[in-house]
Amino acid sequence: MATPVTIGKRPLTRREAKERTAALLAERPDLADRLHRLRRLGRTVRSCEVHLTNTCNIRCKGCWYFEGGFDTAVKELSDVDKIKAFARKLRDDGVNQATLIGGEPTLVLRRVEAFVEELPYITISTNGLRPMPMQGFEHIAVAVSIFGGGPLDDDLRAIRVNGSKFTGLFDTALSHYRDDPRVLFIFALSEAGLPYLEPTVRKIADNGNIVTFNFYSEHGSDHPIQIENERRVLEEALRVKELYPQTVVSHPYFIRTLITGTSHWGARFGYDVCPSLSVDHPAHEERVANGNPVIPGFAAWGADYESLQFCCTSGDCGGCRDSQAVYSWLVVSAHRFLDSAERLEEWLDITESYWRQWHWSPFHAAKAAA
């Protein structure tokens, strides 16, 4: 029997969803090539995440990695030959994309090299304090974090391991990556940082880079995703998106879902729907079976390159509104966008904007503008 999916509150089988899609494409044949191209890319890219190192050169406030004790949970493997063998096994298992986090990947460049040599699609997540060299890493994607923007970014991130503070972390990252097509700034929005949102995005635009919005979750606090004035945050984020449509690659629908946690079909983002979990982790047996989509074969690995992690971030689902997890939820939910051709077109726009973030993607902003 076909697995049921839903459109609004009415259940559809996969066959019915396929028939509905065909009917919508008959109505709007101009959408067919875009849909087929996105489906091909979705089938081609098989992703994982790897905690490349437990070491970091700063201590950001609200960093889930250190707040959650991930830096001490497993013993870090430093043998590059063994790490390369791990990357090769991923490739042999059909994985071709790895997001390398930590810790700080720019501190362990030989480990990044090991993955670059084995896998075609690599993304590193960096705090921006040290530059990622260009030579040998020309085709990777570099995701640079910002928290809050303006002086708030230094307050939250420019903290040395010994607890002392410094200034100019964001400006340092800008100087490292001027006009670098590999770079995507991931801007974690904070209600306290709203006055700095537009000026920060303007700096990114003037630096020749692109940005996507994230949600600043204050991990370690009692209410990590609480916003006092949600409407105000949403309106400002959408206003800045409209001012800088080429720089801010986040789609407006995604921005609304990121900030409010809601979708047009009535579901809220959370564990029951989040697709960015390690699908083979024993804790997820019921979640994987509940009928909501997951990223096929996705796994997050600890810095020992053996431990299967709960998900792509903290595992604290009640305190998480991670941008890439939210984006992935929308991307894998195509069946929720079949009530009209306009809604299907919206899903195409959302999904293209997701792929536009990554330098190795054929939809990357630089390629789209070429």
Side-chain angles (χ1 to χ4, degrees):
M1 179 180 294
T3 303
V5 295
T6 59
I7 174 172
K9 294 184 179 180
R10 178 169 61 85
L12 290 177
T13 65
R14 291 194 184 278
R15 173 178 290 182
E16 288 170 336
K18 184 176 181 180
E19 291 172 351
R20 178 63 177 158
T21 301
L24 294 176
L25 293 180
E27 179 183 338
R28 288 285 306 278
D30 58 301
L31 302 180
D33 285 345
R34 294 174 64 191
L35 178 61
H36 296 328
R37 189 180 181 205
L38 287 168
R39 282 177 169 174
R40 282 196 301 270
L41 183 60
R43 288 192 295 265
T44 298
V45 178
R46 285 292 174 264
S47 298
C48 75
E49 180 180 272
V50 181
H51 298 185
L52 197 68
T53 176
N54 290 333
T55 303
C56 191
N57 46 5
I58 59 176
R59 289 294 184 272
C60 303
K61 293 180 182 177
C63 173
W64 62 264
Y65 196 82
F66 288 95
E67 292 287 348
F70 287 86
D71 58 316
T72 57
V74 299
K75 185 177 181 180
E76 179 177 327
L77 176 68
S78 59
D79 188 316
V80 175
D81 289 335
K82 291 181 179 179
I83 293 170
K84 187 172 182 179
F86 173 83
R88 188 180 305 120
K89 184 178 186 306
L90 290 176
R91 182 198 65 194
D92 292 344
D93 289 341
V95 174
N96 57 9
Q97 191 278 328
T99 298
L100 308 179
I101 68 168
E104 174 53 44
T106 61
L107 299 176
V108 287
L109 293 180
R110 291 190 63 210
R111 300 183 201 180
V112 180
E113 287 176 351
F115 282 88
V116 169
E117 290 173 7
E118 297 297 333
L119 302 177
Y121 309 130
I122 299 296
T123 301
I124 70 153
S125 178
T126 176
N127 57 43
L129 185 56
R130 290 179 55 155
M132 189 69 199
M134 179 65 75
Q135 186 173 359
F137 305 103
E138 296 87 347
H139 303 295
I140 72 169
V142 179
V144 184
S145 296
I146 319 171
F147 288 2
L152 184 58
D153 185 63
D154 276 349
D155 290 344
L156 295 173
R157 296 199 307 128
I159 306 166
R160 297 184 179 92
V161 176
N162 65 7
S164 65
K165 295 188 175 183
F166 60 101
T167 59
L169 178 53
F170 174 50
D171 287 337
T172 296
L174 289 172
S175 69
H176 291 329
Y177 296 119
R178 176 173 292 277
D179 295 321
D180 191 332
R182 303 174 302 169
V183 171
L184 168 76
F185 281 90
I186 298 187
F187 188 172
L189 303 180
S190 164
E191 191 166 14
L194 282 191
Y196 315 124
L197 202 166
E198 182 183 341
T200 301
V201 170
R202 186 187 309 122
K203 276 191 168 186
I204 293 170
D206 291 345
N207 207 58
N209 305 122
I210 59 174
V211 60
T212 192
F213 292 148
N214 197 1
F215 189 106
Y216 178 66
S217 297
E218 192 176 353
H219 292 282
S221 69
D222 293 334
H223 304 286
I225 58 174
Q226 181 173 310
I227 298 178
E228 295 295 334
N229 193 331
E230 192 174 84
R231 181 176 178 180
R232 178 169 169 256
V233 176
L234 176 59
E235 288 179 350
E236 181 64 2
L238 291 174
R239 185 185 73 83
V240 173
K241 163 65 179 177
E242 190 171 350
L243 277 177
Y244 295 93
Q246 302 306 314
T247 301
V248 180
V249 296
S250 305
H251 189 275
Y253 187 111
F254 160 76
I255 295 172
R256 291 187 189 94
T257 302
L258 178 74
I259 293 171
T260 67
T262 61
S263 64
H264 73 271
W265 65 92
R268 289 192 64 86
F269 181 74
Y271 176 70
D272 287 345
V273 299
C274 179
S276 302
L277 44 83
S278 295
V279 294
D280 290 331
H281 195 291
H284 299 314
E285 184 176 355
E286 290 186 12
R287 162 62 187 91
V288 172
N290 74 6
N292 293 315
V294 295
I295 299 174
F298 181 80
W301 298 97
D304 58 356
Y305 301 86
E306 293 181 357
S307 301
L308 190 61
Q309 303 298 294
F310 187 83
C311 66
C312 71
T313 56
S314 65
D316 175 19
C317 300
C320 177
R321 193 80 59 75
D322 177 74
S323 63
Q324 298 310 309
V326 171
Y327 238 141
S328 296
W329 177 40
L330 300 178
V331 170
V332 300
S333 297
H335 59 287
R336 300 289 190 172
F337 290 79
L338 297 179
D339 48 335
S340 68
E342 291 73 22
R343 192 65 89 178
L344 174 60
E345 184 175 22
E346 184 173 49
W347 180 84
L348 295 173
D349 293 339
I350 294 166
T351 305
E352 287 171 352
S353 73
Y354 168 79
W355 290 113
R356 199 167 290 132
Q357 300 173 106
W358 314 117
H359 183 236
W360 43 262
S361 163
F363 286 92
H364 182 258
K367 299 179 179 69

